[in-house]
Amino acid sequence: MRQLAIIPHPDAKITLFSWNGKYLIKLEKGPFEQTYKVSELDLTGEEDVHLLLDDEFVQAAVRRFVGMQQDLQAAFDRHGI
């Protein structure tokens, strides 16, 4: 796996990788991460990945991080951990 870029964003760490004919878009926030795999054949180049990472996409991912935290906390609560 080859790291192509770290894309600055105030709400999440975004790293772009190339691996096995795919672009991997990894978003991290605290202990959580989301990875999106996009075939290199679906895009004309790395620049297209940057277009995908518009504000609407990133904000949806950030909301998903909130949901992930809530799901994990609910599991802790259910089991008294």
Side-chain angles (χ1 to χ4, degrees):
M1 185 169 4
R2 185 169 59 106
Q3 180 177 319
L4 300 176
I6 295 175
I7 301 165
H9 197 280
D11 295 322
K13 179 181 177 187
I14 304 173
T15 310
L16 177 61
F17 297 96
S18 177
W19 180 71
N20 202 21
K22 293 181 175 51
Y23 289 109
L24 278 69
I25 304 165
K26 181 177 177 182
L27 294 93
E28 299 174 81
K29 187 166 178 78
F32 303 105
E33 65 181 49
Q34 300 172 47
T35 302
Y36 298 84
K37 298 177 184 177
V38 180
S39 173
E40 290 178 355
L41 299 174
D42 291 340
L43 305 172
T44 60
E46 185 180 329
E47 302 78 28
D48 283 354
V49 176
H50 292 267
L51 292 174
L52 291 175
L53 295 172
D54 62 11
D55 193 53
E56 187 174 340
F57 179 89
V58 174
Q59 290 309 311
V62 169
R63 287 191 300 273
R64 201 166 292 112
F65 281 127
V66 172
M68 292 168 75
Q69 172 61 44
Q70 291 169 342
D71 293 343
L72 181 61
Q73 186 60 54
F76 271 89
D77 293 347
R78 278 193 307 276
H79 300 286
I81 301 172

